[in-house]
Coordinates of all heavy atoms in Angstrom, one line a residue:
M58 N 28.7 4.5 -15.7 CA 28.5 4.0 -14.3 C 29.9 3.8 -13.7 O 30.8 3.2 -14.4 CB 27.7 2.7 -14.4 CG 27.4 2.1 -13.0 SD 26.4 0.6 -13.2 CE 25.6 0.5 -11.6
S59 N 30.1 4.2 -12.5 CA 31.4 4.1 -11.9 C 31.6 2.6 -11.5 O 30.7 1.9 -11.1 CB 31.4 5.0 -10.6 OG 32.5 4.7 -9.8
S60 N 32.9 2.2 -11.5 CA 33.2 0.9 -11.1 C 33.6 0.9 -9.6 O 33.9 -0.2 -9.0 CB 34.3 0.3 -11.9 OG 35.5 1.1 -11.8
T61 N 33.7 2.1 -9.0 CA 34.0 2.1 -7.5 C 32.9 1.5 -6.7 O 31.7 1.9 -6.9 CB 34.3 3.6 -7.1 OG1 35.3 4.1 -7.9 CG2 34.7 3.6 -5.7
L62 N 33.3 0.6 -5.8 CA 32.2 0.0 -5.0 C 31.7 1.0 -4.0 O 32.4 1.9 -3.5 CB 32.8 -1.2 -4.2 CG 33.3 -2.3 -5.1 CD1 34.1 -3.3 -4.2 CD2 32.1 -3.0 -5.7
P63 N 30.3 1.0 -3.7 CA 29.7 1.9 -2.9 C 30.4 2.1 -1.5 O 30.5 3.2 -1.1 CB 28.3 1.4 -2.7 CG 28.0 0.6 -4.0 CD 29.4 0.0 -4.3
Q64 N 30.8 1.0 -0.9 CA 31.4 1.1 0.4 C 32.7 1.9 0.4 O 33.1 2.6 1.4 CB 31.5 -0.2 1.1 CG 32.5 -1.2 0.5 CD 32.0 -2.0 -0.6 OE1 30.9 -1.7 -1.1 NE2 32.6 -3.0 -1.0
K65 N 33.4 1.8 -0.8 CA 34.7 2.6 -0.9 C 34.4 4.0 -1.1 O 35.2 4.9 -0.7 CB 35.5 2.0 -2.0 CG 36.1 0.6 -1.6 CD 37.0 0.1 -2.7 CE 37.7 -1.2 -2.2 NZ 38.7 -1.7 -3.2
I66 N 33.3 4.4 -1.8 CA 33.0 5.8 -2.0 C 32.9 6.5 -0.7 O 33.3 7.6 -0.5 CB 31.7 5.9 -2.8 CG1 31.9 5.5 -4.2 CG2 31.1 7.3 -2.8 CD1 30.6 5.3 -5.1
H67 N 32.3 5.8 0.3 CA 32.1 6.4 1.6 C 33.2 6.1 2.6 O 33.1 6.2 3.8 CB 30.8 6.0 2.2 CG 29.6 6.5 1.4 ND1 29.3 7.8 1.3 CD2 28.8 5.8 0.5 CE1 28.3 7.9 0.5 NE2 28.0 6.7 -0.1
G68 N 34.4 5.6 2.1 CA 35.6 5.4 3.0 C 35.6 4.1 3.7 O 36.5 3.9 4.5
G69 N 34.7 3.2 3.3 CA 34.7 1.8 3.9 C 35.7 0.9 3.1 O 36.4 1.3 2.2
T70 N 35.7 -0.3 3.5 CA 36.5 -1.3 2.8 C 35.6 -2.4 2.3 O 34.4 -2.5 2.6 CB 37.5 -1.9 3.8 OG1 36.9 -2.8 4.7 CG2 38.3 -0.9 4.6
D71 N 36.2 -3.3 1.5 CA 35.5 -4.4 1.0 C 35.8 -5.7 1.7 O 35.6 -6.8 1.2 CB 35.6 -4.6 -0.5 CG 37.0 -4.7 -1.0 OD1 37.9 -4.7 -0.1 OD2 37.3 -4.8 -2.2
V72 N 36.3 -5.6 2.9 CA 36.6 -6.8 3.7 C 35.2 -7.4 4.0 O 34.2 -6.7 4.1 CB 37.3 -6.6 5.0 CG1 38.7 -6.1 4.7 CG2 36.6 -5.6 5.9
F73 N 35.2 -8.8 4.2 CA 33.9 -9.5 4.3 C 33.0 -8.9 5.4 O 31.8 -8.8 5.2 CB 34.2 -11.0 4.6 CG 33.0 -11.8 4.6 CD1 32.4 -12.2 3.4 CD2 32.4 -12.2 5.8 CE1 31.2 -13.0 3.4 CE2 31.3 -13.0 5.8 CZ 30.7 -13.4 4.6
D74 N 33.6 -8.6 6.6 CA 32.7 -8.1 7.7 C 32.1 -6.7 7.4 O 31.2 -6.3 8.1 CB 33.6 -8.0 9.0 CG 33.8 -9.3 9.6 OD1 33.2 -10.3 9.1 OD2 34.7 -9.4 10.5
N75 N 32.6 -6.0 6.3 CA 32.0 -4.7 6.0 C 31.0 -4.9 4.8 O 30.4 -3.9 4.4 CB 33.1 -3.8 5.5 CG 32.6 -2.3 5.6 OD1 31.9 -1.9 6.4 ND2 33.0 -1.6 4.5
L76 N 30.6 -6.1 4.4 CA 29.7 -6.3 3.3 C 28.4 -6.8 3.9 O 28.3 -7.4 4.9 CB 30.3 -7.3 2.3 CG 31.6 -6.9 1.7 CD1 32.1 -7.9 0.8 CD2 31.5 -5.5 1.0
A77 N 27.3 -6.6 3.1 CA 26.0 -7.2 3.5 C 25.4 -7.9 2.3 O 25.6 -7.5 1.1 CB 25.1 -6.0 3.9
L78 N 24.8 -9.0 2.5 CA 24.2 -9.8 1.5 C 22.9 -9.1 1.0 O 22.1 -8.7 1.9 CB 23.8 -11.2 2.0 CG 23.5 -12.3 1.0 CD1 24.6 -12.5 0.1 CD2 23.1 -13.5 1.8
A79 N 22.7 -8.9 -0.3 CA 21.5 -8.3 -0.8 C 21.2 -8.9 -2.2 O 22.1 -9.3 -2.9 CB 21.7 -6.8 -0.9
C80 N 19.9 -8.9 -2.5 CA 19.6 -9.4 -3.9 C 20.0 -8.4 -4.9 O 20.2 -7.2 -4.5 CB 18.1 -9.8 -4.0 SG 17.0 -8.4 -4.3
I81 N 20.2 -8.8 -6.1 CA 20.8 -7.9 -7.1 C 19.9 -6.6 -7.3 O 20.4 -5.5 -7.5 CB 21.1 -8.6 -8.4 CG1 21.8 -7.7 -9.4 CG2 19.8 -9.2 -9.0 CD1 23.2 -7.4 -9.1
D82 N 18.6 -6.9 -7.3 CA 17.6 -5.8 -7.5 C 17.8 -4.7 -6.4 O 17.9 -3.5 -6.7 CB 16.2 -6.4 -7.5 CG 15.3 -5.5 -8.3 OD1 15.7 -4.8 -9.3 OD2 14.1 -5.4 -7.9
C83 N 17.8 -5.1 -5.1 CA 17.9 -4.2 -4.0 C 19.3 -3.5 -4.1 O 19.4 -2.3 -3.8 CB 17.8 -4.9 -2.7 SG 16.1 -5.4 -2.3
N84 N 20.3 -4.3 -4.4 CA 21.7 -3.8 -4.4 C 21.8 -2.7 -5.5 O 22.4 -1.6 -5.2 CB 22.7 -4.9 -4.6 CG 24.1 -4.5 -4.3 OD1 24.3 -3.8 -3.3 ND2 25.0 -4.9 -5.1
L85 N 21.2 -2.9 -6.7 CA 21.3 -1.9 -7.7 C 20.5 -0.7 -7.3 O 21.0 0.5 -7.7 CB 20.7 -2.5 -9.0 CG 21.7 -3.5 -9.7 CD1 20.9 -4.2 -10.9 CD2 23.0 -2.9 -10.2
H86 N 19.4 -0.8 -6.7 CA 18.6 0.4 -6.2 C 19.4 1.1 -5.1 O 19.3 2.4 -5.1 CB 17.2 0.0 -5.8 CG 16.3 -0.2 -6.9 ND1 16.0 -1.4 -7.5 CD2 15.6 0.7 -7.6 CE1 15.2 -1.3 -8.5 NE2 14.9 0.0 -8.6
K87 N 20.0 0.4 -4.2 CA 20.7 1.1 -3.1 C 21.9 1.9 -3.7 O 22.0 3.0 -3.3 CB 21.2 0.1 -2.1 CG 21.9 0.8 -1.0 CD 22.6 -0.1 0.0 CE 23.4 0.7 1.0 NZ 24.4 1.5 0.5
G88 N 22.7 1.3 -4.6 CA 23.8 2.0 -5.1 C 24.7 2.5 -4.0 O 24.8 1.8 -2.9
P89 N 25.2 3.7 -4.1 CA 26.0 4.2 -3.0 C 25.2 5.0 -1.9 O 25.8 5.6 -1.0 CB 27.0 5.2 -3.7 CG 26.1 5.7 -4.9 CD 25.3 4.5 -5.3
N90 N 23.9 5.0 -2.0 CA 23.0 5.7 -1.1 C 23.2 5.3 0.3 O 23.1 4.1 0.6 CB 21.6 5.6 -1.5 CG 21.3 6.3 -2.9 OD1 21.7 7.4 -3.1 ND2 20.7 5.5 -3.8
L91 N 23.2 6.2 1.2 CA 23.2 5.9 2.7 C 22.0 6.5 3.3 O 21.7 6.2 4.4 CB 24.5 6.5 3.3 CG 25.8 5.9 2.9 CD1 27.0 6.7 3.5 CD2 25.9 4.4 3.2
T92 N 21.3 7.4 2.5 CA 20.1 8.1 3.0 C 19.1 8.2 1.9 O 19.4 7.9 0.8 CB 20.4 9.5 3.5 OG1 20.9 10.3 2.4 CG2 21.4 9.6 4.6
G93 N 17.9 8.6 2.3 CA 16.8 8.9 1.3 C 15.8 9.7 1.9 O 15.9 10.2 3.1
I94 N 14.7 9.9 1.2 CA 13.6 10.7 1.7 C 12.5 9.8 2.3 O 12.0 8.9 1.5 CB 13.0 11.6 0.6 CG1 14.1 12.5 0.0 CG2 11.8 12.5 1.1 CD1 14.7 13.5 1.0
D95 N 12.1 10.0 3.5 CA 11.1 9.2 4.1 C 9.8 9.6 3.4 O 9.4 10.7 3.4 CB 11.0 9.6 5.6 CG 9.9 8.8 6.4 OD1 9.1 8.1 5.7 OD2 9.8 9.1 7.6
P96 N 9.1 8.6 2.8 CA 7.8 8.9 2.1 C 6.7 9.4 3.0 O 5.8 10.1 2.5 CB 7.4 7.5 1.5 CG 8.2 6.5 2.3 CD 9.4 7.1 2.8
R97 N 6.8 9.2 4.3 CA 5.7 9.8 5.2 C 6.0 11.2 5.6 O 5.1 12.1 5.5 CB 5.6 8.9 6.4 CG 4.5 9.4 7.3 CD 4.3 8.5 8.6 NE 3.9 7.1 8.2 CZ 3.8 6.1 9.1 NH1 4.1 6.3 10.3 NH2 3.4 4.9 8.6
T98 N 7.2 11.5 6.0 CA 7.5 12.8 6.6 C 8.2 13.7 5.5 O 8.3 14.9 5.8 CB 8.5 12.7 7.7 OG1 9.8 12.2 7.2 CG2 8.0 11.8 8.8
K99 N 8.6 13.1 4.4 CA 9.3 13.9 3.3 C 10.6 14.5 3.8 O 11.2 15.4 3.3 CB 8.4 15.0 2.8 CG 7.0 14.6 2.4 CD 7.0 13.6 1.3 CE 5.6 13.2 0.9 NZ 5.4 11.9 0.4
R100 N 11.1 13.9 4.9 CA 12.4 14.4 5.5 C 13.5 13.4 5.2 O 13.2 12.2 5.0 CB 12.3 14.6 7.0 CG 11.3 15.7 7.3 CD 11.2 15.9 8.8 NE 12.4 16.5 9.2 CZ 12.6 17.2 10.3 NH1 11.6 17.4 11.1 NH2 13.7 17.7 10.7
L101 N 14.8 13.8 5.2 CA 15.9 13.0 4.9 C 16.0 11.9 6.1 O 15.9 12.3 7.3 CB 17.2 13.8 4.9 CG 18.4 13.1 4.4 CD1 18.3 12.7 2.9 CD2 19.6 14.0 4.5
A102 N 16.3 10.7 5.7 CA 16.4 9.6 6.7 C 17.6 8.7 6.3 O 17.8 8.5 5.1 CB 15.1 8.9 6.9
K103 N 18.2 8.1 7.3 CA 19.3 7.1 7.0 C 18.6 5.9 6.5 O 17.5 5.6 6.8 CB 20.1 6.8 8.2 CG 20.9 7.9 8.7 CD 21.7 7.5 9.9 CE 22.6 8.7 10.4 NZ 23.4 8.3 11.6
L104 N 19.4 5.1 5.7 CA 19.0 3.7 5.3 C 19.3 2.8 6.4 O 20.2 3.0 7.2 CB 19.7 3.3 4.0 CG 19.4 4.2 2.8 CD1 20.1 3.5 1.5 CD2 17.9 4.3 2.5
F105 N 18.6 1.6 6.4 CA 18.9 0.6 7.4 C 20.3 0.1 7.3 O 20.8 -0.1 6.2 CB 17.9 -0.6 7.2 CG 18.0 -1.7 8.1 CD1 17.7 -1.6 9.4 CD2 18.5 -2.9 7.6 CE1 17.9 -2.7 10.2 CE2 18.6 -4.0 8.4 CZ 18.3 -3.9 9.7
H106 N 20.9 -0.1 8.4 CA 22.3 -0.7 8.5 C 22.2 -2.1 9.0 O 21.9 -2.3 10.2 CB 23.2 0.2 9.4 CG 24.6 -0.2 9.2 ND1 25.1 -1.4 9.4 CD2 25.7 0.6 8.8 CE1 26.4 -1.4 9.2 NE2 26.8 -0.2 8.9
P107 N 22.3 -3.1 8.2 CA 22.1 -4.5 8.6 C 23.0 -5.0 9.7 O 22.7 -6.0 10.4 CB 22.2 -5.3 7.3 CG 23.0 -4.5 6.4 CD 22.7 -3.0 6.8
R108 N 24.1 -4.4 9.9 CA 25.0 -4.9 10.9 C 25.0 -4.1 12.2 O 25.5 -4.6 13.3 CB 26.5 -5.0 10.4 CG 26.7 -6.1 9.4 CD 28.2 -6.1 8.9 NE 28.6 -4.8 8.5 CZ 28.3 -4.2 7.3 NH1 27.5 -4.8 6.5 NH2 28.8 -3.0 7.1
L109 N 24.3 -3.0 12.2 CA 24.3 -2.1 13.4 C 22.9 -2.0 13.9 O 22.7 -1.6 15.1 CB 24.8 -0.7 13.1 CG 26.3 -0.7 12.6 CD1 26.7 0.8 12.3 CD2 27.2 -1.3 13.7
Q110 N 21.8 -2.4 13.1 CA 20.5 -2.2 13.6 C 19.7 -3.5 13.5 O 20.1 -4.4 12.8 CB 19.8 -1.1 12.7 CG 20.5 0.3 12.8 CD 20.1 1.3 11.8 OE1 19.9 0.9 10.6 NE2 19.9 2.5 12.2
R111 N 18.6 -3.5 14.3 CA 17.8 -4.7 14.3 C 16.7 -4.6 13.3 O 15.9 -3.7 13.3 CB 17.2 -5.0 15.7 CG 18.2 -5.4 16.7 CD 17.5 -5.6 18.0 NE 16.3 -6.5 17.9 CZ 16.3 -7.8 18.0 NH1 17.5 -8.4 18.2 NH2 15.2 -8.5 17.8
W112 N 16.6 -5.7 12.4 CA 15.6 -5.7 11.3 C 14.2 -5.5 11.9 O 13.4 -4.7 11.3 CB 15.7 -7.0 10.6 CG 15.0 -7.1 9.3 CD1 15.5 -6.8 8.0 CD2 13.6 -7.4 9.1 NE1 14.5 -6.9 7.1 CE2 13.3 -7.3 7.7 CE3 12.5 -7.8 9.9 CZ2 12.1 -7.5 7.2 CZ3 11.3 -8.0 9.4 CH2 11.1 -7.9 8.0
D113 N 13.8 -6.2 12.9 CA 12.4 -6.2 13.4 C 12.0 -4.9 14.1 O 10.9 -4.6 14.4 CB 12.1 -7.4 14.3 CG 13.0 -7.5 15.5 OD1 13.9 -6.7 15.6 OD2 12.8 -8.4 16.2
E114 N 13.0 -4.0 14.4 CA 12.7 -2.7 14.9 C 12.2 -1.7 13.8 O 11.5 -0.7 14.1 CB 13.9 -2.1 15.6 CG 14.2 -2.7 16.9 CD 15.4 -2.1 17.6 OE1 15.8 -0.9 17.2 OE2 15.9 -2.7 18.5
H115 N 12.6 -2.0 12.6 CA 12.4 -1.1 11.5 C 11.4 -1.6 10.4 O 10.9 -0.8 9.6 CB 13.7 -0.7 10.8 CG 14.6 0.0 11.7 ND1 14.5 1.3 12.1 CD2 15.7 -0.5 12.5 CE1 15.5 1.6 12.9 NE2 16.2 0.5 13.2
F116 N 11.2 -3.0 10.4 CA 10.3 -3.5 9.3 C 9.3 -4.5 9.9 O 9.6 -5.1 10.9 CB 11.2 -4.3 8.3 CG 12.3 -3.5 7.7 CD1 13.6 -3.6 8.2 CD2 12.1 -2.7 6.6 CE1 14.6 -2.8 7.6 CE2 13.1 -1.9 6.0 CZ 14.4 -2.0 6.5
E117 N 8.3 -4.7 9.2 CA 7.3 -5.8 9.5 C 6.6 -6.3 8.2 O 6.5 -5.5 7.3 CB 6.3 -5.4 10.5 CG 5.3 -4.3 10.0 CD 4.4 -3.8 11.1 OE1 4.5 -4.3 12.3 OE2 3.5 -3.0 10.8
W118 N 6.2 -7.5 8.2 CA 5.5 -8.1 7.0 C 4.0 -7.8 7.2 O 3.5 -8.0 8.2 CB 5.8 -9.6 6.9 CG 7.2 -9.9 6.5 CD1 8.1 -10.4 7.3 CD2 7.8 -9.7 5.3 NE1 9.3 -10.5 6.6 CE2 9.1 -10.1 5.3 CE3 7.3 -9.2 4.0 CZ2 10.0 -10.0 4.3 CZ3 8.2 -9.1 3.0 CH2 9.5 -9.5 3.1
R119 N 3.4 -7.4 6.1 CA 2.0 -7.2 5.9 C 1.6 -8.0 4.7 O 1.6 -7.5 3.6 CB 1.6 -5.8 5.8 CG 1.9 -5.0 7.1 CD 1.4 -3.6 7.0 NE 1.9 -2.8 8.2 CZ 2.0 -1.5 8.3 NH1 1.7 -0.8 7.3 NH2 2.4 -1.0 9.4
G120 N 1.4 -9.3 4.9 CA 1.2 -10.2 3.7 C 2.5 -10.3 3.0 O 3.6 -10.5 3.6
L121 N 2.4 -10.0 1.7 CA 3.6 -10.1 0.8 C 4.4 -8.8 0.9 O 5.5 -8.7 0.4 CB 3.2 -10.4 -0.6 CG 2.6 -11.7 -0.9 CD1 2.2 -11.8 -2.4 CD2 3.5 -12.9 -0.5
Y122 N 3.8 -7.7 1.5 CA 4.4 -6.4 1.5 C 5.2 -6.2 2.7 O 4.9 -6.6 3.8 CB 3.3 -5.3 1.5 CG 2.7 -5.1 0.1 CD1 1.6 -5.9 -0.3 CD2 3.2 -4.2 -0.8 CE1 1.0 -5.7 -1.5 CE2 2.6 -4.0 -2.0 CZ 1.6 -4.7 -2.4 OH 1.0 -4.6 -3.6
L123 N 6.4 -5.6 2.5 CA 7.3 -5.2 3.6 C 6.9 -3.8 4.0 O 6.8 -2.9 3.1 CB 8.7 -5.3 3.2 CG 9.8 -5.1 4.2 CD1 9.6 -6.1 5.4 CD2 11.2 -5.1 3.6
A124 N 6.6 -3.6 5.3 CA 6.2 -2.2 5.8 C 7.3 -1.7 6.7 O 7.9 -2.4 7.4 CB 4.9 -2.3 6.5
G125 N 7.5 -0.4 6.6 CA 8.5 0.3 7.4 C 7.8 0.7 8.7 O 6.8 1.4 8.7
K126 N 8.4 0.4 9.9 CA 7.9 0.8 11.2 C 8.5 2.2 11.6 O 8.0 2.8 12.5 CB 8.2 -0.2 12.2 CG 7.5 -1.6 11.9 CD 8.1 -2.7 12.7 CE 7.8 -2.7 14.2 NZ 8.4 -3.9 14.9
T127 N 9.6 2.6 11.0 CA 10.3 3.8 11.3 C 10.7 4.5 10.1 O 10.5 4.0 8.9 CB 11.6 3.4 12.1 OG1 12.4 2.7 11.2 CG2 11.3 2.6 13.3
A128 N 11.2 5.7 10.2 CA 11.7 6.5 9.1 C 12.7 5.7 8.3 O 12.8 5.6 7.1 CB 12.2 7.8 9.5
I129 N 13.6 5.0 9.1 CA 14.7 4.2 8.5 C 14.0 3.1 7.7 O 14.4 2.8 6.5 CB 15.6 3.7 9.6 CG1 16.5 4.8 10.1 CG2 16.5 2.5 9.0 CD1 17.4 4.5 11.3
G130 N 13.1 2.4 8.2 CA 12.4 1.3 7.5 C 11.7 1.8 6.2 O 11.9 1.2 5.1
R131 N 10.9 2.8 6.4 CA 10.1 3.3 5.2 C 11.1 3.8 4.1 O 10.9 3.6 2.9 CB 9.2 4.5 5.7 CG 8.1 4.1 6.6 CD 7.1 5.2 6.8 NE 7.8 6.4 7.5 CZ 7.8 6.5 8.8 NH1 7.3 5.6 9.6 NH2 8.4 7.6 9.3
T132 N 12.1 4.5 4.5 CA 13.1 5.1 3.5 C 13.8 4.0 2.8 O 14.0 4.0 1.6 CB 14.0 6.1 4.2 OG1 13.2 7.1 4.9 CG2 15.0 6.7 3.2
T133 N 14.2 3.0 3.6 CA 15.0 1.8 3.0 C 14.1 1.1 2.0 O 14.6 0.8 0.9 CB 15.5 0.9 4.1 OG1 16.3 1.6 5.0 CG2 16.3 -0.3 3.5
I134 N 12.9 0.8 2.3 CA 12.0 0.2 1.4 C 11.8 1.0 0.1 O 11.8 0.4 -1.0 CB 10.6 -0.1 2.1 CG1 10.8 -1.1 3.2 CG2 9.5 -0.5 1.1 CD1 9.6 -1.2 4.1
R135 N 11.7 2.3 0.3 CA 11.4 3.1 -0.9 C 12.7 3.2 -1.8 O 12.6 3.0 -3.0 CB 11.1 4.6 -0.4 CG 10.9 5.5 -1.6 CD 10.7 6.9 -1.0 NE 10.1 7.8 -2.1 CZ 9.9 9.0 -1.9 NH1 10.2 9.6 -0.8 NH2 9.5 9.8 -2.9
V136 N 13.8 3.4 -1.2 CA 15.1 3.6 -2.0 C 15.4 2.3 -2.7 O 15.8 2.3 -3.8 CB 16.2 4.1 -1.1 CG1 17.6 4.1 -1.9 CG2 16.0 5.5 -0.6
L137 N 15.3 1.2 -1.9 CA 15.7 -0.1 -2.5 C 14.5 -0.7 -3.3 O 14.7 -1.8 -3.9 CB 16.1 -1.1 -1.4 CG 17.6 -1.0 -1.0 CD1 17.9 0.4 -0.4 CD2 17.9 -2.1 0.0
N138 N 13.4 -0.1 -3.3 CA 12.2 -0.6 -4.1 C 11.9 -2.0 -3.7 O 11.7 -2.9 -4.5 CB 12.5 -0.5 -5.6 CG 11.2 -0.5 -6.4 OD1 10.1 -0.3 -5.9 ND2 11.4 -0.9 -7.7
M139 N 11.8 -2.2 -2.4 CA 11.7 -3.6 -1.8 C 10.3 -4.2 -2.0 O 10.1 -5.4 -1.6 CB 12.1 -3.6 -0.4 CG 13.6 -3.2 -0.2 SD 14.0 -3.0 1.5 CE 14.4 -4.6 2.0
N140 N 9.3 -3.4 -2.5 CA 8.0 -4.0 -2.8 C 7.7 -3.9 -4.3 O 6.6 -3.8 -4.7 CB 6.9 -3.2 -2.0 CG 6.9 -3.6 -0.5 OD1 7.1 -4.8 -0.1 ND2 6.8 -2.6 0.3
S141 N 8.8 -4.1 -5.1 CA 8.6 -4.1 -6.5 C 7.8 -5.3 -7.0 O 7.7 -6.3 -6.2 CB 10.0 -4.1 -7.2 OG 10.6 -5.3 -7.0
E142 N 7.3 -5.2 -8.2 CA 6.6 -6.4 -8.8 C 7.4 -7.7 -8.7 O 6.9 -8.7 -8.4 CB 6.2 -6.1 -10.2 CG 5.0 -5.2 -10.4 CD 3.7 -5.7 -9.8 OE1 3.5 -7.0 -9.9 OE2 3.0 -5.0 -9.1
D143 N 8.7 -7.5 -9.0 CA 9.6 -8.7 -9.0 C 9.7 -9.3 -7.6 O 9.7 -10.5 -7.4 CB 11.0 -8.3 -9.4 CG 11.1 -8.2 -11.0 OD1 10.1 -8.6 -11.6 OD2 12.1 -7.6 -11.5
H144 N 9.8 -8.4 -6.6 CA 9.9 -8.9 -5.2 C 8.6 -9.6 -4.8 O 8.6 -10.6 -4.1 CB 10.2 -7.7 -4.2 CG 11.6 -7.4 -4.2 ND1 12.1 -6.2 -4.8 CD2 12.7 -8.0 -3.6 CE1 13.5 -6.2 -4.6 NE2 13.8 -7.2 -3.8
L145 N 7.5 -9.0 -5.1 CA 6.2 -9.5 -4.8 C 6.0 -10.9 -5.5 O 5.5 -11.8 -4.8 CB 5.0 -8.6 -5.2 CG 5.0 -7.2 -4.4 CD1 3.9 -6.4 -4.9 CD2 4.9 -7.4 -2.9
T146 N 6.4 -11.0 -6.7 CA 6.3 -12.3 -7.4 C 7.2 -13.3 -6.7 O 6.7 -14.5 -6.5 CB 6.8 -12.1 -8.9 OG1 5.9 -11.1 -9.5 CG2 6.7 -13.4 -9.6
L147 N 8.4 -13.0 -6.4 CA 9.3 -13.9 -5.7 C 8.6 -14.4 -4.3 O 8.7 -15.5 -4.0 CB 10.6 -13.3 -5.4 CG 11.6 -13.3 -6.6 CD1 12.8 -12.5 -6.3 CD2 12.0 -14.7 -7.0
R148 N 8.1 -13.4 -3.6 CA 7.5 -13.7 -2.3 C 6.2 -14.6 -2.4 O 5.9 -15.3 -1.4 CB 7.2 -12.4 -1.5 CG 8.4 -11.7 -1.1 CD 8.0 -10.3 -0.5 NE 9.2 -9.5 -0.5 CZ 9.2 -8.2 -0.5 NH1 8.0 -7.5 -0.6 NH2 10.3 -7.5 -0.5
S149 N 5.5 -14.5 -3.5 CA 4.3 -15.3 -3.7 C 4.5 -16.7 -4.1 O 3.6 -17.5 -4.1 CB 3.4 -14.5 -4.6 OG 3.9 -14.6 -5.9
S150 N 5.8 -17.0 -4.6 CA 6.0 -18.4 -5.1 C 6.6 -19.3 -4.0 O 6.9 -18.9 -3.0 CB 7.0 -18.3 -6.3 OG 8.2 -17.7 -5.9
Ligands
LIG1201 ZN1 15.7 -7.4 -3.0

């Protein structure tokens, strides 16, 4: 496993304003990925950018499940595995 931080792989920096808060599980699944395959269209889509995009444009709650409203939302949920058993357990407690 590389010790290079994901944001540096893509030419970014590790200054505070360039970082995003994420749980360890989501962060490990994201890794250096900036894109993924939209499970609905099977086409390449960008991942959600928490500092440039609005959360509620791309995601909505359906009970304990997070649902993607757009290709970006669906792809981010899939790549980060945001509806994993661990996430569902945390949300139910
Ligand atoms: Zn998470």
Side-chain angles (χ1 to χ4, degrees):
M58 186 178 202
S59 170
S60 62
T61 304
L62 295 171
Q64 67 274 16
K65 289 188 173 180
I66 290 172
H67 296 289
T70 71
D71 57 2
V72 296
F73 186 76
D74 285 348
N75 197 40
L76 302 177
L78 194 62
C80 83
I81 186 68
D82 203 34
C83 287
N84 196 39
L85 287 172
H86 278 95
K87 181 187 176 296
N90 295 309
L91 299 175
T92 61
I94 302 297
D95 178 357
R97 182 178 297 175
T98 66
K99 311 300 183 203
R100 299 182 66 158
L101 192 67
K103 290 182 179 179
L104 298 184
F105 178 69
H106 193 302
R108 289 182 309 283
L109 299 178
Q110 297 168 320
R111 289 182 48 89
W112 192 93
D113 58 358
E114 287 181 16
H115 299 281
F116 304 98
E117 66 185 3
W118 291 108
R119 294 183 187 158
L121 296 177
Y122 284 86
L123 187 60
K126 297 163 69 176
T127 63
I129 286 172
R131 292 187 299 269
T132 304
T133 301
I134 291 167
R135 179 186 194 183
V136 171
L137 275 61
N138 198 20
M139 296 171 86
N140 287 318
S141 68
E142 284 296 321
D143 284 348
H144 279 103
L145 296 177
T146 300
L147 282 171
R148 291 172 196 154
S149 68
S150 58

